[in-house]
Structure formats: structure tokens, C-alpha cells
Amino acid sequence: MAETWAVLAALLFLLICLVEGPAYNLVSVEAGQEAVLSCPYISKVPLLMVTWKMKCSPCCLLAYRSDHNETKKLNCSERMMWKYSPDRDPALRIYPVNLGDEGNYTCEVASSAGNYLFSSSLTVTVPPTVTLTCDNSRVAVCQAAAGKPAADISWIPASNQSTEEELHHPNGTVTRVSYIRWVNSMLPTLTCLVTHPATNQTLSIDLSDTSPRLPYLLIGGSTSVAAVSGMTLCLIFRCRAFRLRKLAHGSSVPFATKNFRSTPSCEKKDVDKPPALSESTYQNYNPRTIYMNY
């Protein structure tokens, strides 16, 4: 009988400890936003002292003592402060929050009615950077970079041809990449769905614009170069022909071509004018066979 009472007393003590144990609060905040960790002290007795601690060594310690109306901060960033007046609501404010603030925090309250302990667990989420690209081999790549936790990627239309890769970074973020090859060229668009606690994004790509354009650009460039080169040669030939006409009609400098030859006479003073050049003179004209005799 005595043993039975001892067991019942132990169970009752355990139940009381579970009910009156420290409160626990889960807080999840996106990086760059404000995190508020509450310390729900509701006793009618004024508190004497409240202390916030982060469970690491050495980490932040933020304390307030009412009898001296004094606050102290040890190893705490300027981003950590009281949300309100600590004697009325001793909540802790962290702004802007970052990945280094993630962890467990405790709020200890001392009053004439006793000591109270409240615990909070802070989780920081990071939205990923989402991109959707494709290449000439008809492979689409959807990437959710540096997210925390890792994002989920799905495709529309759904396909069992997709593959995924993950890259874990030292700061706790994860990059997830999904690859898919599309076979049906009749599909108008391909859509990538990225699901994450901090953000949901949808990116689409027009499959009709994924044909390679570089060969056409090169062909067009070659044609342009050929056209410019041809125009340049044409101008050169016209300039040379014009020079030949000028020499034939108005210059005393003799000249020769493949089908026409003129030699000066030094014995006669009255030099006969050369006959006018007809169109037949230039029928076999070749700019490369011009020889000037001076």
C-alpha cells in the first residue's frame, strides 16, 4: 500500500512539473524583417528583474533592474533592444533579423512572487532567388538559389523527365536546381513553380522563342560584309576608269592598256591629238593590267 502511494505521488509531481514548466514559443521570421520574442509575465506583482539570454557562449545578455531603473547589454548587437518598456512588457525586439540571430532564447523574470522562465526558438527564413533559363539543346533550368529552407520546384505541364540537384551553403541556405527537357515542340509555354515558406513564384518561358538565332546572325553578318566589300571594289574600279578617261582626253601623259598602245614622238613638235576613245576601247578593260609610262 505504501509503495502504491509513492508511485501516485511521483506521477502527480511529474504532472505538476509538466504543467508549470517553462513556456515555449516558436517564432519564424523572414530575413530582414522584425522579430519579436515575447516574455508573457502576467503576474500582478511587479517584476524586480528581467533578463534575456541567448543560449550560446558568449552571446547576448539583455537585463533590466526595476529598483535601480537600469538596463544593461552584454555582447548584444544594436539590432537587439526592448520592444516596449521592460517594466510593462519585457518583449525582445530584433530588427533587422539575420541568419546569425537564429537560435534559442530565454527570458527570466524575478519578482516577489517567485521566478519565471520563458523560452523562445527563433527560426530565420530566406526567400530564394528564382531564375528560369533554357538553351539550344531544349533543356530548361529552373533555379531557386540560396533559400532557407530549400524551395520546392515543380513544372507545368508535369513531366517525369525532370531531375534535381541541391547545393548546401555554409550559412545554412540551400540552392535547388531542376532540369527538364521538353520533346513536344507544339507546347506554347513551359512554367516553373517555386514554393517556399517566404515566397511563392511562378516563371514561364515561351518555347517558340527558344530557336537558335546565332547562325542567322552570322549569315546576315557575312552577307553584309560581302556587300560592303563589293561596293568598295566597285568604287575603286570606277575611280580608276575615271582616271583613265581623264588621262586619255586631257592629259599629255601617254598610257597603255592591253588592247591600246600609244608612244610619244619626240621628233615632231606638233603632236597629233590621240583619237577619241570609243566604247570598244574599254570592252576588255582589266584594272589589274594597267601600266603607266612616264
Side-chain angles (χ1 to χ4, degrees), residues 100-277:
D101 301 325
E102 197 172 54
N104 296 322
Y105 295 78
T106 58
C107 174
E108 300 179 3
V109 177
S111 68
S112 58
N115 297 335
Y116 301 87
L117 181 65
F118 305 94
S119 298
S120 297
S121 178
L122 176 63
T123 301
V124 179
T125 61
V126 180
T129 301
V130 182
T131 56
L132 176 60
T133 58
C134 64
D135 55 23
N136 294 333
S137 60
R138 303 183 68 81
V139 175
V141 181
C142 185
Q143 177 176 276
K148 183 177 180 298
D152 293 327
I153 300 177
S154 58
W155 295 93
I156 298 178
S159 173
N160 56 2
Q161 301 294 328
S162 63
T163 58
E164 288 190 356
E165 293 181 354
E166 280 190 1
L167 177 62
H168 295 262
H169 305 287
N171 61 355
T173 59
V174 180
T175 295
R176 179 168 288 176
V177 186
S178 180
Y179 305 87
I180 187 173
R181 178 186 295 273
W182 69 89
V183 180
N184 185 4
S185 59
M186 300 302 294
L187 292 176
T189 58
L190 187 66
T191 302
C192 169
L193 301 177
V194 177
T195 305
H196 188 268
T199 181
N200 292 326
Q201 297 188 38
T202 302
L203 298 181
S204 298
I205 189 168
D206 189 354
L207 299 183
S208 62
D209 293 338
T210 57
S211 58
R213 298 182 179 178
L214 183 60
Y216 299 99
L217 179 61
L218 294 177
I219 293 174
S222 302
T223 305
S224 301
V225 173
V228 173
S229 302
M231 185 177 295
T232 304
L233 291 175
C234 181
L235 291 175
I236 293 174
F237 292 160
R238 291 188 62 183
C239 291
R240 289 186 177 180
F242 177 78
R243 185 178 180 185
L244 287 174
R245 290 192 183 96
K246 184 176 180 181
L247 291 174
H249 291 284
S251 175
S252 61
V253 179
F255 62 93
T257 66
K258 184 177 182 180
N259 296 325
F260 178 83
R261 183 176 179 84
S262 174
T263 56
S265 175
C266 299
E267 295 179 359
K268 296 182 179 182
K269 295 182 180 179
D270 297 332
V271 179
D272 297 332
K273 294 182 180 181
L277 298 178

Side-chain angles (χ1 to χ4, degrees), residues 55-71:
K55 292 184 178 180
C56 62
S57 179
C59 281
C60 171
L61 188 147
L62 186 64
Y64 167 75
R65 186 170 175 177
S66 61
D67 56 346
H68 292 86
N69 194 21
E70 181 183 15
T71 59

Side-chain angles (χ1 to χ4, degrees), residues 39 41-42 47 64 83-91:
C39 185
Y41 177 72
I42 58 175
L47 58 84
Y64 167 75
K83 173 67 175 178
Y84 309 103
S85 177
D87 59 340
R88 294 187 293 105
D89 187 353

